[in-house]
Amino acid sequence: MLLEMKNICKDFPQGGETVHVLKRVNLSIEQGDYLAIMGPSGSGKTTLMNIIGCLDVPTSGTYRLNGENLAQATDNRLADVRNSTLGFVFQSFYLLPSLTARDNVALPLLYAGVSKRTRSRRAAEALRMVGLSDRIDFLPTQLSGGQQQQRVAIARAMINRPKLLLADEPTGALDSASGQQVMDIFDELHDQGTTIVLITHAPEIGQRASHMRRILDGVLLPEEGGEPDA
């Protein structure tokens, strides 16, 4: 089991009261899975993604990733896990405008202390994987359309060869045709063995995954609907 959550709760203080954003979430993901988590705004899906992605810790419950309990891990340990185990693709591409596609993709390797020659080679390989081998020295503003910029973001997410790829509304800033092209890349990555968790509110995007779970008011529903997890 790559990922296992048991009774995950996340509370936030608000105006002297406590808001229960996640309520006893149970989730298991095996290596090679492709899971979509769907829910409307305010359902808790982004909070859940932040905990899965080690950007936050739960108020209570157990979160094991690659065998390690990270529920109350330190900030430094969470940063190490993010850099070594996880890859992120967001709705906003978060590319640095002054860096070429190659240098944007290579950034995680720079933070990991990898040599410049290796960074350059692996970034070029990642850009070829997403069909941008002829754009490696282009700046983000020189890439035509958001779809190409999102491809760069996907290549950057994969540069560290993560065990788990997290995508938070990855097509939200794209038109429908560009979004379908980006989803084709996720399909290819999954076919190559990448484990993917996709957060979306769009049914046509969620249906591309092998499995789908819905989240509503902080409760993660079973895959086939029915009663919430106990």
Side-chain angles (χ1 to χ4, degrees), residues 95 99-102 104 127 132 134-153:
L95 303 180
L99 297 183
T100 64
R102 185 204 308 257
N104 266 288
L127 286 164
L132 290 178
D134 59 343
R135 299 287 191 273
I136 60 174
D137 293 320
F138 281 40
L139 296 172
T141 54
Q142 296 172 314
L143 295 169
S144 60
Q147 179 255 133
Q148 288 194 354
Q149 294 186 41
Q150 188 62 290
R151 285 174 181 249
V152 174

Side-chain angles (χ1 to χ4, degrees), residues 77-142:
R77 180 55 190 151
L78 293 177
D80 289 341
V81 172
R82 289 195 300 270
N83 201 42
S84 64
T85 306
L86 303 171
F88 297 88
V89 180
F90 299 102
Q91 177 175 339
S92 299
F93 315 127
Y94 297 120
L95 303 180
L96 297 182
S98 61
L99 297 183
T100 64
R102 185 204 308 257
D103 289 340
N104 266 288
V105 171
L107 274 177
L109 297 181
L110 175 64
Y111 300 147
V114 176
S115 70
K116 183 176 181 179
R117 176 177 295 182
T118 301
R119 294 199 307 267
S120 180
R121 174 180 56 80
R122 284 178 54 181
E125 290 173 355
L127 286 164
R128 281 196 295 272
M129 177 185 67
V130 297
L132 290 178
S133 58
D134 59 343
R135 299 287 191 273
I136 60 174
D137 293 320
F138 281 40
L139 296 172
T141 54
Q142 296 172 314

Side-chain angles (χ1 to χ4, degrees), residues 19 56 70 114 119 125 132 149 160 187 197 204 212 229:
V19 178
D56 200 356
L70 298 172
V114 176
R119 294 199 307 267
E125 290 173 355
L132 290 178
Q149 294 186 41
N160 266 342
D187 290 346
V197 175
E204 68 275 12
M212 185 187 303
D229 290 337

Side-chain angles (χ1 to χ4, degrees), residues 5-12 19-27 37-49 51-52 58-60 199 213-222 227-230:
M5 289 182 158
K6 290 186 176 180
N7 297 322
I8 291 292
C9 297
K10 183 63 180 180
D11 302 334
F12 290 100
V19 178
H20 305 291
V21 179
L22 294 179
K23 305 168 185 175
R24 295 175 60 86
V25 167
N26 294 296
L27 176 64
I37 298 176
M38 292 188 56
S41 297
S43 61
K45 62 183 187 296
T46 296
T47 300
L48 178 57
M49 172 66 88
I51 293 175
I52 293 174
T59 302
S60 61
I199 298 289
R213 299 283 298 272
R214 296 184 183 275
I215 187 169
L216 184 64
D217 296 330
V219 176
L220 189 65
L221 302 177
E227 293 300 319
D229 290 337

